[in-house]
Structures are given as C-alpha cells and as structure tokens.
Amino acid sequence: MLERGSSRRRVAGTGLASARTRFERRAAAARRRPRLVAGVLVAVLLLGGLVAWLGWFSGVLTASKVEVHGVGAPASVRVRTVAKVPLGGPLMRVDTDAVTARLLADRAWSSVAVSRSLPDTVVITVTPRVAVLAVRNPRGEVDVVDRDGFTFRTVGSAPADVPLVSSGAAQVTKAGVDAALGALGSLEPSLRADVSGVSVSTADQVSFTVTAKGGAPKTVVWGGAGDGKRKAQLVKILMGEPGSTIDVSVPSSPVTR
C-alpha cells in the first residue's frame, strides 16, 4: 500500500512539473512575440526606407523608358509626345499626376492611367475616344464627338466614315448623339444612301432630308431617340405619299404635309 501511494505521488509530481514546463514555455513564447513583431516591423521599415532611397535619391532606379498600352505604335508616339515624361532622374520622382493631367488635357483619351514599374519604367495606359459623329457647329467648324457627345477634336471636314450632322447647339449632348445615330442606324441602307442634311436641334431632336431617286426631296422630322425601327418603317411607307414633310416624331400619329 505504501508503494502504491508513493507511485501516485511521483506521477502527480511528474504531471505538475510537466504542466509547469508547458506554462513556462508558453510564457517565454508570449514574451518573445512582441520582440518578433517589432523585429518584423523594423525590417519592413528598413526595406521601405531602402526602396524609397533607391527610388528617390539614388541613381539605381532611374526612369529610363516609357511603355504605352491601349493604342498602336503610331498613336503611342503622340502619347509620349504629349505626356512629356521626364527621363534620366530617379523613378519615384516622376510626377505621375502631372503626366496624367497633360494627357487628359489632350482630350483624345477617355481614360488615362500612369504608374511606375521597377526598376526603370513609367507605364502609361490610355483608352482612346472613338469618333461616332461629326457635328458642324454654329461657327461653321466640324467637331468630332464620341458616344457621350464629348468633343475631342475640331477639324475642317468630317473624317471618313463618320456621319456629318449640323447642330444649333454649341455642344451636342449624349441624347442628341444617340438620336442621330439611332436615326441613321435604323434606316434601310438603300434609303440611308439618299439621306443628307442631318440636323440635331438644341432639344436633341433630329431631322434630315431624303431625296429618293426620281423624286423630290422630303424633310423627315425624326424626333428624339427611341422607336427607331417603327419610325424607319413609317418613313419608307410615307415616302410615296404627297407632301414635302414626313413627321414621325410621334410614331403613333405620323403626319405628312
């Protein structure tokens, strides 16, 4: 009986010692954790400082080239010219905001992103505006506009394959662009070939002239965007009716006069 009790005491003592050892290990690990975290933070700060020094002050990370994405080679030449990226100095000192502002001022790009790529590259990504309409404004100039009605170029004559319209407004709106493109896109190709004098009013209403072969010119009051297919069908039907004007601006009540 004495030996059994002694054995229990030894086991209990061993368990207590084991628990104390585990506790001491956890306590030691807990004490080391803040030092480990602090060491990691110091290492990160030192690495960040090294990168900053290399990029801002040393000659190691020198801006030496420009990459242009989003356009082909001919347009990339223009991007580089307008961007005026200063090369030869520290990469991190390149003012990307100033480069972005210069490109946006050019108006040819709907979006611009400028970034730095280690060790020596300034990356420019642009999205070019697409001409959908040429608008002869009240000053007699031709404004090239995109789908949003944004004028990004003024030229002497409309670019090839870009529909030309006239406008009484200083700036055609997106609604006006949609109405004009909707009208031209809804007409059958054979009828669209006879269209001239497309006009967008200040109220975004479209009208144009159709001169059918062997017939007299007719003015078509198209109206705003919407119901394009129905309006086109009405124009085709009413071209043979008497009168010089076809009004399909309200397609439920077409009028000829």
Side-chain angles (χ1 to χ4, degrees), residues 2-61:
L2 181 60
E3 289 181 0
R4 189 179 299 115
S6 176
S7 175
R8 288 197 188 100
R9 285 194 295 273
R10 283 197 299 272
V11 170
T14 301
L16 183 61
S18 177
R20 184 166 53 250
T21 300
R22 290 196 299 272
F23 176 79
E24 289 173 351
R25 287 175 180 172
R26 286 197 294 269
R31 288 193 298 270
R32 286 195 301 271
R33 192 173 298 116
R35 291 196 294 270
L36 179 61
V37 172
V40 171
L41 289 175
V42 169
V44 170
L45 290 174
L46 288 174
L47 180 60
L50 177 61
V51 171
W53 179 81
L54 289 173
W56 282 87
F57 303 105
S58 78
V60 176
L61 301 180

Side-chain angles (χ1 to χ4, degrees), residues 94-118:
V94 174
D95 189 341
T96 56
D97 289 339
V99 174
T100 300
R102 286 193 289 271
L103 287 167
L104 290 176
D106 189 45
R107 302 172 69 86
W109 325 105
S110 61
S111 67
V112 175
V114 182
S115 61
R116 308 176 189 91
S117 178
L118 298 177

Side-chain angles (χ1 to χ4, degrees), residues 88-173:
L91 179 65
M92 300 304 292
R93 288 194 179 186
V94 174
D95 189 341
T96 56
D97 289 339
V99 174
T100 300
R102 286 193 289 271
L103 287 167
L104 290 176
D106 189 45
R107 302 172 69 86
W109 325 105
S110 61
S111 67
V112 175
V114 182
S115 61
R116 308 176 189 91
S117 178
L118 298 177
D120 60 356
T121 306
V122 176
V123 180
I124 300 175
T125 303
V126 296
T127 302
R129 295 187 185 276
V130 178
V132 298
L133 210 62
V135 182
R136 190 174 299 282
N137 60 36
R139 301 182 300 278
E141 300 168 328
V142 176
D143 295 328
V144 181
V145 304
D146 65 4
R147 172 66 72 170
D148 294 325
F150 184 88
T151 299
F152 61 95
R153 192 164 69 246
T154 299
V155 295
S157 58
D161 301 324
V162 178
L164 175 65
V165 305
S166 61
S167 175
Q171 175 71 50
V172 66
T173 66

